[in-house]
Amino acid sequence: MNIRHFLRLSDLSPSALRALLQRAIALKKIQRAGERYAPCAGRTLAMIFEKSSTRTRVSFETGMAQLGGHALFLSPRDTQLGRGESIEDTARVISRMVDMVMIRTFGHDNLIRFAAASRVPVINGLSDDHHPCQLLADLMTATEHWGDLRGRTVAYIGDGSNNMAHSWMEAARIFDFQLRVGSPAGYAPTAAMWQTGGNHVTILHDAVTAVRGADLIVTDVWTSMGQEEEAAARKAILAPFQVNATLMAAAAADALFMHCLPAHRGEEVSAEVIDGPRSVVWEEAENRLHAQKALMELLFGIGPVAALQGD
């Protein structure tokens, strides 16, 4: 079986990703116009959550409902995964009963193992290494504002070793923009991850230098799930990398601000920035819904972008 999975941005070609973003914008217009579009009647999406999330659950569950299908929420306590069943056995069983699987988990290797044993498409809802669905929403938001990111400069500020930074590095190469990662020494991406962006990525250890003249400033929480014991140390080390009005003043005059949420005002971002006029955070959050609907269409092989499934 020729099954297409989406575990990281580079699983889709640049042309497929660009077409997907345009389709997401079109689906957003369809939804806002109140038109019914339900091509997934009779289809079921299994959502496996080892990490909890507001936006991932609501966007996928709502998106599948709007497409006419059904979404099934599964936590570790709801499945044999929480009792020691192998990832492969769980994948073999679930994929014989549903039409698509979304997994939000810790180790990226677990996603790869699940996908290898699955008979249906698997989507990475988040792993420790990548967060491609969030990048679809971010890129969609940028596309709505600018039409294209090609030739732009994006500054990612904070922990450069986390999944958001990794996915932004892949995006820089695929969408042909420059990414500056501003992070403290010891929080920079690994060489292997850095290489995914090629010559489109620059690593800097000074926040002001990283944002100078940038078109888009992006940040994320300083302490991700599973790192709670490091919270105090991270807060002290990352404090000079807070995105605040002073830092935004070094960016381009019309620079935008993004955050994948949840946000901790007063830590990685000040309230005046995230709640200010240059923030597109709430558009970005809503666009998880529309971008993921376009993604599910593509992976199901339906809709106008389906011809690019094998691209």
Side-chain angles (χ1 to χ4, degrees):
M1 293 179 290
N2 184 22
I3 304 168
R4 170 62 60 87
H5 303 298
F6 186 65
L7 308 185
R8 56 192 295 177
L9 277 181
S10 56
D11 285 340
L12 295 179
S13 69
S15 59
L17 284 167
R18 289 180 185 279
L20 188 156
L21 296 181
Q22 293 301 325
R23 179 57 179 164
I25 293 170
L27 287 172
K28 184 176 183 177
K29 292 177 181 177
I30 289 171
Q31 182 64 30
R32 289 192 168 182
E35 301 174 24
R36 178 166 173 76
Y37 175 68
C40 293
R43 301 191 194 224
T44 299
L45 168 71
M47 306 184 302
I48 300 175
F49 282 83
E50 291 188 309
K51 283 187 172 183
S52 59
S53 170
T54 299
R55 280 149 294 279
T56 299
R57 179 173 181 180
V58 173
S59 58
F60 270 108
E61 194 162 335
T62 301
M64 194 59 179
Q66 290 179 357
L67 291 173
H70 174 70
L72 180 66
F73 174 82
L74 298 169
S75 71
R77 64 178 176 272
D78 299 319
T79 69
Q80 293 297 332
L81 272 175
R83 298 182 177 89
E85 182 174 64
S86 75
I87 291 171
E88 288 79 6
D89 285 355
T90 297
R92 292 180 184 114
V93 171
I94 290 178
S95 66
R96 285 175 175 265
M97 298 180 182
V98 304
D99 304 286
M100 186 175 289
V101 180
M102 184 282 298
I103 305 176
R104 186 175 168 94
T105 187
F106 291 88
H108 192 78
D109 287 348
N110 292 340
L111 275 170
I112 295 173
R113 289 172 58 191
F114 192 104
S118 175
R119 297 162 60 97
V120 300
V122 175
I123 296 172
N124 178 4
L126 174 143
S127 70
D128 286 347
D129 289 353
H130 298 278
H131 199 355
C133 287
Q134 180 64 54
L135 260 290
L136 292 181
D138 295 357
L139 293 165
M140 175 187 172
T141 307
T143 300
E144 287 180 309
H145 280 268
W146 296 322
D148 201 329
L149 266 168
R150 184 178 282 113
R152 297 275 181 175
T153 298
V154 178
Y156 182 91
I157 305 300
D159 182 359
S161 67
N162 76 4
N163 49 19
M164 282 299 298
H166 295 165
S167 288
W168 270 106
M169 285 187 281
E170 279 200 329
R173 174 181 52 80
I174 294 169
F175 287 86
D176 193 21
F177 61 86
Q178 290 299 311
L179 176 70
R180 302 181 196 144
V181 178
S183 62
Y187 288 78
T190 64
M193 287 297 180
W194 186 357
Q195 289 169 6
T196 65
N199 60 8
H200 290 80
V201 178
T202 303
I203 308 299
L204 299 162
H205 298 307
D206 178 75
V208 175
T209 303
V211 305
R212 186 168 289 124
D215 302 292
L216 174 62
I217 312 303
V218 185
T219 194
D220 190 10
V221 295
W222 289 341
T223 304
S224 299
M225 280 179 272
Q227 300 174 331
E228 287 79 6
E229 292 183 358
E230 307 170 22
R234 285 175 165 269
K235 187 174 181 179
I237 294 169
L238 287 157
F241 292 81
Q242 181 189 83
V243 180
N244 50 37
T246 301
L247 192 64
M248 288 295 292
D254 58 349
L256 301 177
F257 171 77
M258 288 188 187
H259 191 309
C260 61
L261 302 177
H264 299 148
R265 290 167 174 80
E267 290 188 17
E268 74 275 3
V269 62
S270 66
E272 63 186 332
V273 170
I274 193 170
D275 298 320
R278 298 164 80 177
S279 172
V280 292
V281 166
W282 316 117
E283 298 171 46
E284 177 189 6
E286 178 193 346
N287 284 342
R288 286 288 302 273
L289 169 66
H290 309 295
Q292 288 161 190
K293 286 168 67 175
L295 173 65
M296 289 189 285
E297 260 197 345
L298 173 62
L299 298 182
F300 275 136
I302 58 179
V305 189
L308 296 173
Q309 186 180 21
D311 190 1

